[in-house]
């Protein structure tokens, strides 16, 4: 959290405050490899974002590729293509994914059931800032 999540959130807030367009996400698909030890580790979303779960070696980090994983990967890749084309992305499943803003800090929670929230990291931020 202290190394990645909080800095990503700070960057999203700064970019939105400067008038830029921002889409914030939290990848929460937990890998089943190594008995679930990895969870939703940093960079685990990369094969999903490029929809290349079929590549050699991917199952080492993800476990056996399932249909739900393939749906998530296709949805994430479609969203990333939309970003690259300058379009507003959609969540896996097709629902609109609004941009993050100062007034509505929307985070897409990407996982088995993808959803949107505006309070996703409040507890995390409160925990780390209270340790100050």
């Amino acid at each position: 959290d202290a190394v990645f999540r909080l800095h990503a959130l700070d960057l999203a807030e700064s970019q939105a405050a400067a008038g830029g367009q921002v889409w914030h996400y939290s990848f929460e698909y937990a890998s089943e490899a190594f008995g679930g030890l990895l969870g939703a580790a940093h960079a685990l979303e990369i094969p999903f974002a490029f929809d290349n779960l079929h590549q050699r070696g991917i199952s080492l980090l993800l476990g056996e590729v399932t249909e739900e994983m393939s749906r998530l990967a296709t949805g994430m890749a479609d969203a990333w293509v939309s970003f690259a084309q300058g379009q507003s992305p959609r969540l896996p499943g097709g629902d609109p994914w609004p941009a993050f803003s100062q007034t509505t800090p929307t985070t897409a929670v990407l996982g088995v059931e993808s959803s949107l929230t505006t309070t996703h990291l409040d507890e995390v931020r409160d925990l780390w800032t209270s340790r100050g």
Side-chain angles (χ1 to χ4, degrees):
D1 289 341
V3 174
F4 296 110
R5 284 185 188 224
L6 294 180
H7 294 296
L9 186 56
D10 288 344
L11 182 60
E13 289 171 339
S14 295
Q15 184 68 14
Q21 285 194 300
V22 180
W23 284 269
H24 187 259
Y25 74 94
S26 180
F27 184 77
E28 298 193 5
Y29 186 87
S31 169
E32 294 181 11
F34 305 105
L37 184 64
L38 293 178
H42 173 67
L44 197 67
E45 78 274 18
I46 293 171
F48 287 86
F50 292 98
D51 198 2
N52 62 8
L53 301 180
H54 62 282
Q55 295 296 320
R56 187 179 68 213
I58 296 296
S59 62
L60 176 68
L61 293 175
L62 294 176
E64 184 178 339
V65 176
T66 64
E67 184 59 36
E68 74 181 7
M69 292 166 68
S70 293
R71 280 192 302 275
L72 176 58
T74 299
M76 285 180 62
D78 289 347
W80 266 240
V81 168
S82 293
F83 290 133
Q85 294 175 338
Q87 300 169 3
S88 295
R90 295 191 159 297
L91 290 175
D95 292 334
W97 176 354
F100 184 101
S101 71
Q102 289 182 289
T103 56
T104 310
T106 304
T107 296
V109 180
L110 303 174
V112 174
E113 296 293 327
S114 296
S115 61
L116 297 170
T117 181
T118 57
T119 60
H120 183 63
L121 297 177
D122 289 354
E123 288 182 18
V124 172
R125 186 194 301 263
D126 290 348
L127 173 70
W128 285 100
T129 56
S130 69
R131 293 176 173 249

